[in-house]
Amino acid sequence: MKGKYIVKRLLQMVIVLIGISFLTFFLTYLAPGDPATAMYEAAGVTPTEEMLENTRKSMGLDKPFLVQYGVWVGKCLHGDFGESYSKNQPVLKLLIEKLPATLKLALLSLAMMLVISIPLGIYSAVKQNGITDYIIRFLSFGGISLPGFLVGLILMYVFALKLRLVKVSSSTLGFEQMLLPAVTLTIAMASKYTRQVRTAVLDELQSDYVIGARARGMKFNSVLWKHILPNAVLPLITMLGLSFGSLLGGASVVELIFSYPGMGILAVNAVKTRDYPLIQGFVLWIALIYMVVNLVVDISYSYVDPRIREAG
Amino acid sequence: MKKLKELFKKNISFGVYTALVLVVLLIAILAPVLATHDPLNAPLQDALKPPGADHLFGTDALGRDIFSRVLYGTRTSVSGALILVAVILVLGGFLGLVAGYFGGKVDAVIMRISDIMISFPELILAMAIAGILGPSLINSIIAITAVSWTKYARMARSTVLKIKNRDYIAAAQVTGSRHRYILYKYMLPNALPTMLVLAVTDIGTMMLSLASLSFLGFGVQPPTPEWGYMLSEGRTYILTCPWMLFCPGAAVFFVVVVFNLWGDSVRDIIDPKSRTKKKRSTKKMNRKRIATACAVALIGCLAVVPSASAAEKTQLNVSTELTSATLDPANDWDSWFVMRWGALETLTRYADDGTIEPWLASDWSVSDDSLSWTITLKDNVTFSNGEKMTASKVVESIERLYEIQDPENGGAGNPHAYMTYSDIQADDEAGTVTIVTNEPTVDMAGVLAYPWMGIIDVAGSEGRDIANEGPICTGPYVFVSNDPDHDIQMARNENYWDGDVPFETVNIMKQGEGSARAMALLDGSADVAINITAMDRAMLEADDSFLIDVTAGSRMGNCWINMDGVLGNDTLRQAVVMAIDGETICNVSVMGSYIWCNNAPLPYNYDYGFDTLENPFSYDKDAAIALLDDAGIVDTDGDGYRELDGENIEIVYIGSNSRQQDVIGQAQAAQLEEIGLKCSFSIPESSGDSRTTQGFDLIYNNEVTTPTGDPANYLKHWYWDNDSTDYNYGNYHNDEYNALYDQLNGEFDTAKRKEIFTQLQQIILNDAANLGYGAYSFNICAGPEVSGVHSYTSDFYWVTKDITPAE
């Protein structure tokens, strides 16, 4: 059963990947300006008409759209995502280079988020309508309403500029340089998750089995830790997969503010310089990672959750 | 009505939040009434005022009132978010209903597309779409719609699936109702409430998405007031004018909170399941465990690693905005950086007063026929690999450049513009290089000092990936690694020919934001920062331990004026030039980052007769207005803008983000508006297209005017109108200018050249053919741990052997 499920998911992934590749290729095809000019422009060169003509031919731009797409996909399958216009380097190399920094930041902020939001969420639910609950709800509500760039700038202003506690600028990727970007990402996520955990725990608290267990005289703490928590926290795994995926690609704003050398900055610069091969490669790459992560999450989920396990 | 009253009474919070939402909407609607100033009006003398009685939230770099801009920003943000949510609701709802109702292939196609969209991080795709379509509010709405409709489609579809097989639907179908009717009459009303709730709770999120996109520069374009963009503008001024950040920031926060609260209260009413339930008594939890968990969380949050202070200074840390994509000096622009990082050296070099000094060469002379130059090399120069720099190696290096850049080899640049040689010979015995030119090359010594002519060991660099690893050169530092988006690592050249190299390693950090560089100096992570804005310099100046070396070099900012467009009209062009208060823009708006040269094409501090120039079209707003009025260029159709021969005038102004040219461009555009000329300022992703396709009236330019110690090449920009390879973008034409320019050819007499340069400048001024920004003042700043930092007027020498650890 399990094997079948995975095969089915993998097939779905392939279809989605084909869709995404087609979409990105089509979008860049539609984009104003011609890629040959864009290439020279990104390299800072003013080309002559003849150079353009030659480049167009060598890039295969004179061929019909579907042929161009086919050629491009074929190359991608061989790991050749093309050459970045603005950096004159293979797209794949650039993407792989930037991955570790982004990965580190994503993992650090996810870890910080979990450490904060799970205890706070539980506490807030257990002490529902108490003063702590209100404070936590108030803060988490503020957290989801704050734009990431504002949080980042405020943190930078206060901790790096006024108090001079943290150095944000360094070329080595130490914990210190990652701290403020990670905290920025954590604040928004932790707010969301705290609310999520709180709602989940509240739901469980009111479910019949908890009332039953309490009626049988089980201690509240043991009900909480043994029954409520596993049930309340499990659904978070799926959310975690999604968050992880968007952290891998979507931390552009934060990376930009702190000049953090990850994939986000690469993407922003690629879009700004109209580096089409890099944009295409980036989009595909992110989609792939995102889907793999979510597949792993779903599969692991089915191992963890007995209901799914038994249903097969 | 009574029902409504009851609703509010029962749900006090809903009532309160609705009131708040109404307040926000009212602010948006009444922005023109509430605003104390015109949000677009840019009185420069008021720039960067802190909050006070005149300006509640202070002013920005152009003197615009931030309070009024924040108020107007409400319009942009609220209407943007509402339109966005409405579009998504309609599109997602429609697709969902159709997919669910018709099923089969329609369903499969729509749902597969939705799968694609949902398996994707939102901002990335939105960014890609906005980037490809071009930045604008509409495009960012399209982009976010493309990634957000799926949620709504799924919701609508599931509702339809639930009721599709009910009897009354079947009955309707049997009685011959049309699909459209069934969808509209039965499906829609069932799906709508839940979708509306989703839409209402989404408004805040959508507002944040829009603001994020425009913060990144992919959304609303200036000068439209929008919070995200205002914040990104304010980022430059974070050190000195934090109100530029916090006022729009607080506004976003407030409005998003209001809409989120309102959304939640609406959901609570319509969807009672999610309503907070009555308090249940629970036993006290194990406090200890919770406390431990919280403590862990806090430690995780607050842990700050103390910075290790190095005992001995062995690494030089440099913070820079600009880096080059490759390290190959055969690429014109890249060669600058190979030199700036202390790797590449040239035969000669520029002194600060514009004269030429020996460097790798000790002497040079020209033959009597002015065609043959003999350059004598220093005999103690070695490359970083220990090889001696012989005459043949110098020849190989220069030949490599010309070979790579030869258009026949696919080369794009053209070193021939600097000098064209017919023969180049090495005499290794005598240590001389002889260059025979086709035409007298007056500025040969200066040409050899240009970074492009930097000397590398061609044979020794074989097998190296020069673009990424760098060539073998003679400078004090060698490349270790190159990541132009992040950092460049250099190490000491152990074989350096000219004395000791002070640092073991040099770490060059790319920090795009001016404030980031100032910050790096302040927090000690950088010893040297290249180009810090005047604003941030003021902050450093307060502390004696920082060295700030400012120089106005020969880099000039200006606008090309398109003579083939509407500004080909002499009167109009003269009025445009007269309407710009360049001096105030230089001194106030960009706080001295440019030094006003009264529209002269060449810098004031070089010896090209600046003092003798007369600008007949100096700043005089009233005269500009009078000039236009007298010429009949007036507003005839009452739209507030002048027309030329009955045609609407719209001056298309293409600007740039770098070197604060955005601030200057916007200030100039605002001043043109003041005399009734419509001017649309925009910053494209790349200016190349607009230059060549003539899609502009004014287009920014920022250029070193005397790269070889001589401005002749730069002045060609107003001259060469027949050759497509050169740069007369504005198609300026003046026979007198051309004739005079031709006299420069072969003129070795510096006094005579100076006279010609002066006259050429005067002609350009008389024709109002240049819209100047001023001479760019650049700077190098240094922290207390290093000494010997100097900002050279040529802007080519940044990391040098003279920078040493402080005593």
Side-chain angles (χ1 to χ4, degrees):
Chain A
M1 286 309 276
K2 191 116 288 165
K4 228 179 184 177
Y5 172 70
I6 295 175
V7 169
K8 198 178 144 203
R9 284 295 304 267
L10 284 174
L11 269 178
Q12 270 179 2
M13 253 176 72
V14 171
I15 295 174
V16 171
L17 270 180
I18 292 176
I20 287 182
S21 66
F22 187 82
L23 188 74
T24 43
F25 194 82
F26 186 59
L27 273 176
T28 39
Y29 184 80
L30 283 186
D34 123 82
T37 321
M39 188 181 103
Y40 281 109
E41 220 166 70
V45 167
T46 316
T48 63
E49 198 44 49
E50 199 187 334
M51 283 158 68
L52 282 178
E53 211 45 57
N54 289 335
T55 317
R56 278 189 202 118
K57 262 197 196 118
S58 70
M59 289 167 86
L61 295 175
D62 46 350
K63 303 206 171 67
F65 170 71
L66 280 178
V67 177
Q68 287 186 39
Y69 173 68
V71 171
W72 178 69
V73 168
K75 279 186 180 165
C76 287
L77 287 177
H78 291 91
D80 176 10
F81 287 77
E83 186 112 339
S84 151
Y85 296 161
S86 58
K87 306 202 191 306
N88 299 317
Q89 283 184 37
V91 168
L92 192 64
K93 178 170 168 266
L94 288 169
L95 293 174
I96 289 174
E97 265 175 16
K98 298 290 177 192
L99 187 61
T102 299
L103 207 59
K104 272 195 206 162
L105 184 63
L107 288 175
L108 179 64
S109 43
L110 275 186
M112 280 165 58
M113 179 278 287
L114 287 177
V115 169
I116 292 170
S117 57
I118 292 183
L120 288 189
I122 297 170
Y123 193 77
S124 179
V126 172
K127 297 280 176 190
Q128 195 195 354
N129 293 337
I131 185 120
T132 351
D133 179 33
Y134 275 111
I135 294 175
I136 292 173
R137 276 162 68 193
F138 180 77
L139 289 179
S140 62
F141 193 85
I144 58 163
S145 307
L146 270 172
F149 46 85
L150 184 60
V151 177
L153 289 167
I154 292 176
L155 287 176
M156 180 148 142
Y157 183 73
V158 175
F159 290 101
L161 293 178
K162 287 289 154 188
L163 302 178
R164 296 195 194 173
L165 280 177
V166 192
K167 287 184 186 177
V168 287
S169 40
S170 149
S171 60
T172 46
L173 258 192
F175 178 69
E176 195 179 351
Q177 203 206 358
M178 286 164 61
L179 189 63
L180 288 187
V183 170
T184 309
L185 291 171
T186 303
I187 286 179
M189 273 196 304
S191 308
K192 196 168 91 185
Y193 279 81
T194 306
R195 285 159 65 90
Q196 197 69 35
V197 171
R198 180 179 176 274
T199 315
V201 173
L202 274 182
D203 275 353
E204 297 297 328
L205 275 176
Q206 284 146 8
S207 60
D208 294 341
Y209 79 92
V210 174
I211 298 171
R214 297 281 294 125
R216 287 200 308 278
M218 272 181 80
K219 282 209 176 128
F220 178 73
N221 274 334
S222 103
V223 178
L224 178 70
W225 291 103
K226 287 199 187 128
H227 300 287
I228 298 181
L229 280 193
N231 279 322
V233 173
L234 263 184
L236 288 189
I237 296 181
T238 316
M239 268 178 81
L240 272 181
L242 293 172
S243 296
F244 187 62
S246 36
L247 277 179
L248 284 185
S252 319
V253 171
V254 170
E255 290 189 4
L256 192 73
I257 290 174
F258 293 102
S259 310
Y260 188 87
M263 313 240 288
I265 286 202
L266 189 71
V268 172
N269 286 338
V271 173
K272 285 198 169 155
T273 52
R274 306 206 165 200
D275 191 338
Y276 294 134
L278 192 51
I279 301 179
Q280 288 167 340
F282 181 77
V283 171
L284 269 190
W285 177 249
I286 290 293
L288 186 66
I289 295 180
Y290 197 66
M291 276 185 289
V292 169
V293 168
N294 283 308
L295 178 65
V296 171
V297 164
D298 285 355
I299 292 172
S300 67
Y301 192 68
S302 70
Y303 276 100
V304 183
D305 191 330
R307 282 168 300 190
I308 295 184
R309 188 162 62 218
E310 270 144 35
Chain B
M1 202 59 212
K2 213 176 167 190
K3 259 187 181 171
L4 208 63
K5 228 177 185 175
E6 229 163 69
L7 184 76
F8 279 113
K9 246 186 193 167
K10 268 193 189 160
N11 303 278
I12 297 170
S13 57
F14 172 70
V16 173
Y17 301 145
T18 308
L20 282 174
V21 165
L22 287 178
V23 168
V24 172
L25 291 179
L26 269 182
I27 291 177
I29 294 165
L30 294 180
V33 181
L34 298 171
T36 50
H37 295 76
D38 177 353
L40 300 181
N41 185 29
L44 290 173
Q45 63 279 8
D46 292 345
L48 303 172
K49 290 253 166 75
D54 275 357
H55 299 280
L56 282 176
F57 291 175
T59 61
D60 67 8
L62 297 178
R64 296 177 297 200
D65 181 59
I66 293 183
F67 177 69
S68 309
R69 286 180 70 75
V70 166
L71 288 181
Y72 273 89
T74 321
R75 288 186 151 189
T76 325
S77 293
V78 172
S79 61
L82 291 180
I83 293 172
L84 179 56
V85 168
V87 169
I88 297 174
L89 183 69
V90 171
L91 183 78
F94 174 76
L95 289 175
L97 288 179
V98 168
Y101 181 72
F102 291 104
K105 273 183 191 160
V106 179
D107 185 32
V109 169
I110 294 178
M111 283 301 116
R112 283 300 79 73
I113 296 177
S114 140
D115 276 348
I116 293 174
M117 293 304 186
I118 216 162
S119 53
F120 214 81
E122 249 182 36
L123 191 64
I124 292 303
L125 197 56
M127 220 167 78
I129 295 175
I132 289 164
L133 296 177
S136 77
L137 180 62
I138 307 257
N139 286 345
S140 53
I141 288 179
I142 294 176
I144 299 175
T145 306
V147 291
S148 308
W149 61 273
T150 56
K151 215 168 29 171
Y152 291 77
R154 276 161 196 270
M155 188 170 269
R157 178 173 174 269
S158 71
T159 316
V160 172
L161 288 182
K162 254 185 242 161
I163 59 167
K164 195 173 156 185
N165 298 322
R166 298 267 170 87
D167 291 343
Y168 67 95
I169 303 289
Q173 280 167 338
V174 168
T175 52
S177 300
R178 286 182 187 181
H179 290 316
R180 208 185 340 166
Y181 180 77
I182 298 175
L183 274 172
Y184 180 71
K185 191 81 185 173
Y186 301 117
M187 301 298 181
L188 185 64
N190 270 299
L192 205 55
T194 42
M195 284 177 55
L196 275 179
V197 171
L198 185 62
V200 164
T201 48
D202 254 2
I203 296 176
T205 320
M206 291 302 159
M207 219 176 262
L208 285 185
S209 299
L210 277 176
S212 298
L213 271 185
S214 55
F215 180 79
L216 289 171
F218 302 133
V220 179
Q221 288 299 292
T224 315
E226 200 275 343
W227 296 331
Y229 194 82
M230 285 169 76
L231 270 157
S232 88
E233 282 178 321
R235 212 149 57 101
T236 320
Y237 300 92
I238 183 172
L239 279 173
T240 34
C241 309
W243 59 86
M244 282 179 70
L245 279 178
F246 296 132
C247 296
V252 188
F253 181 57
F254 173 72
V255 173
V256 172
V257 164
V258 165
F259 274 100
N260 279 349
L261 283 171
W262 184 62
D264 281 4
S265 68
V266 170
R267 189 191 51 204
D268 283 351
I269 290 171
I270 298 187
D271 178 15
K273 212 183 80 188
S274 70
R275 195 178 305 170
T276 323
K277 284 161 193 159
K278 254 176 75 187
K279 187 179 173 174
R280 294 170 52 99
S281 63
T282 46
K283 275 255 172 101
K284 272 181 192 167
M285 262 195 70
N286 188 337
R287 285 197 173 175
K288 234 183 188 170
R289 282 190 206 173
I290 297 289
T292 323
C294 290
V296 171
L298 277 180
I299 292 167
C301 255
L302 297 177
V304 171
V305 182
S307 51
S309 57
E312 202 186 337
K313 187 95 188 127
T314 58
Q315 173 164 300
L316 176 67
N317 295 304
V318 180
S319 174
T320 176
E321 173 188 10
L322 301 169
T323 52
S324 60
T326 83
L327 296 178
D328 191 342
N331 303 324
D332 188 355
W333 172 241
D334 295 353
S335 69
W336 294 27
F337 289 91
V338 184
M339 174 165 278
R340 283 166 169 175
W341 307 140
L344 188 66
E345 294 177 333
T346 35
L347 296 173
T348 56
R349 58 182 281 162
Y350 306 108
D352 271 354
D353 59 3
T355 55
I356 310 296
E357 291 177 339
W359 203 358
L360 298 177
S362 57
D363 199 14
W364 53 91
S365 60
V366 68
S367 62
D368 290 340
D369 63 357
S370 309
L371 290 176
S372 176
W373 288 83
T374 304
I375 293 114
T376 313
L377 307 177
K378 287 184 183 164
D379 60 3
N380 62 337
V381 179
T382 55
F383 289 101
S384 59
N385 58 4
E387 289 278 327
K388 184 176 158 55
M389 185 191 76
T390 60
S392 340
K393 290 212 183 266
V394 170
V395 170
E396 277 171 32
S397 175
I398 294 176
E399 279 176 343
R400 172 180 185 267
L401 167 69
Y402 278 78
E403 201 179 301
I404 289 180
Q405 287 301 343
D406 190 336
E408 278 183 19
N409 297 335
N414 192 358
H416 294 283
Y418 291 92
M419 77 154 167
T420 306
Y421 63 83
S422 56
D423 190 30
I424 181 164
Q425 292 293 337
D427 183 342
D428 285 343
E429 289 283 303
T432 58
V433 172
T434 308
I435 302 175
V436 181
T437 57
N438 298 345
E439 287 168 11
T441 305
V442 184
D443 54 350
M444 175 62 87
V447 167
L448 294 176
Y450 188 70
W452 223 359
M453 304 287 164
I455 303 303
I456 70 170
D457 182 359
V458 178
S461 302
E462 221 155 85
R464 285 174 75 91
D465 175 5
I466 291 186
N468 294 308
E469 295 170 7
I472 300 286
C473 320
T474 59
Y477 296 101
V478 295
F479 290 101
V480 176
S481 69
N482 175 45
D483 177 356
D485 279 337
H486 179 211
D487 65 352
I488 298 162
Q489 302 288 341
M490 318 271 311
R492 172 187 288 157
N493 170 8
E494 299 293 348
N495 294 312
Y496 190 52
W497 61 276
D498 192 14
D500 289 336
V501 181
F503 291 98
E504 265 170 37
T505 50
V506 181
N507 167 33
I508 294 150
M509 301 176 278
K510 154 110 178 171
Q511 292 179 313
E513 282 304 312
S515 293
R517 295 191 293 283
M519 224 158 49
L521 272 188
L522 282 170
D523 74 13
S525 45
D527 303 305
V528 176
I530 317 281
N531 284 334
I532 291 184
T533 60
M535 300 279 311
D536 294 337
R537 289 204 301 271
M539 180 106 170
L540 295 177
E541 271 161 15
D543 187 340
D544 291 344
S545 55
F546 293 102
L547 170 108
I548 301 166
D549 196 2
V550 185
T551 313
S554 79
R555 177 178 286 281
M556 296 289 288
N558 73 314
C559 265
W560 303 125
I561 301 177
N562 188 357
M563 297 289 174
D564 293 342
V566 67
L567 295 181
N569 179 296
D570 289 342
T571 316
L572 187 56
R573 190 174 65 250
Q574 289 160 5
V576 163
V577 173
M578 283 166 85
I580 308 288
D581 182 3
E583 191 151 12
T584 310
I585 294 178
C586 286
N587 295 340
V588 182
S589 312
V590 294
M591 293 198 66
S593 293
Y594 286 80
I595 294 164
W596 178 235
C597 296
N598 204 5
N599 274 330
L602 296 175
Y604 70 101
N605 55 346
Y606 282 51
D607 194 14
Y608 305 127
F610 179 75
D611 296 337
T612 64
L613 294 177
E614 268 186 48
N615 181 2
F617 307 109
S618 290
Y619 170 61
D620 188 340
K621 185 175 161 188
D622 297 333
I625 292 172
L627 194 62
L628 291 173
D629 288 346
D630 292 349
I633 304 175
V634 290
D635 179 17
T636 48
D637 59 6
D639 64 351
Y641 292 114
R642 297 172 190 268
E643 287 88 42
L644 178 61
D645 305 331
E647 297 271 328
N648 283 324
I649 299 173
E650 189 181 353
I651 297 171
V652 179
Y653 191 153
I654 310 285
S656 157
N657 272 323
S658 87
R659 295 196 171 90
Q660 291 180 276
Q661 292 173 93
D662 50 339
V663 178
I664 297 185
Q666 287 180 59
Q668 290 184 338
Q671 292 188 328
L672 293 182
E673 300 259 329
E674 274 179 31
I675 63 164
L677 293 174
K678 187 168 188 179
C679 180
S680 62
F681 177 83
S682 66
I683 296 171
E685 308 279 320
S686 128
S687 67
D689 275 345
S690 339
R691 276 189 181 168
T692 45
T693 57
Q694 304 280 307
F696 68 91
D697 293 304
L698 295 171
I699 191 163
Y700 81 97
N701 182 56
N702 206 295
E703 198 171 328
V704 171
T705 55
T706 61
T708 65
D710 188 283
N713 255 312
Y714 177 73
L715 289 171
K716 215 188 248 180
H717 291 346
W718 283 273
Y719 161 57
W720 269 22
D721 43 1
N722 302 322
D723 189 331
S724 63
T725 61
D726 230 289
Y727 310 97
N728 186 356
Y729 296 121
N731 272 347
Y732 169 74
H733 184 90
N734 182 326
D735 288 330
E736 193 194 345
Y737 186 91
N738 293 357
L740 196 58
Y741 186 91
D742 289 339
Q743 289 180 26
L744 283 172
N745 196 6
E747 182 56 68
F748 278 73
D749 178 1
T750 36
K752 183 81 185 119
R753 287 183 82 81
K754 174 188 158 183
E755 199 187 312
I756 297 174
F757 292 142
T758 312
Q759 288 176 25
L760 288 172
Q761 292 197 74
Q762 188 59 53
I763 294 174
I764 292 173
L765 285 176
N766 292 345
D767 283 343
N770 181 40
L771 181 57
Y773 285 10
Y776 185 63
S777 77
F778 43 80
N779 61 79
I780 298 187
C781 301
E785 291 188 62
V786 294
S787 59
V789 173
H790 177 56
S791 178
Y792 294 86
T793 55
S794 63
D795 205 16
F796 290 139
Y797 320 116
W798 290 354
V799 174
T800 65
K801 74 175 175 68
D802 300 326
I803 299 179
T804 59
E807 292 293 305

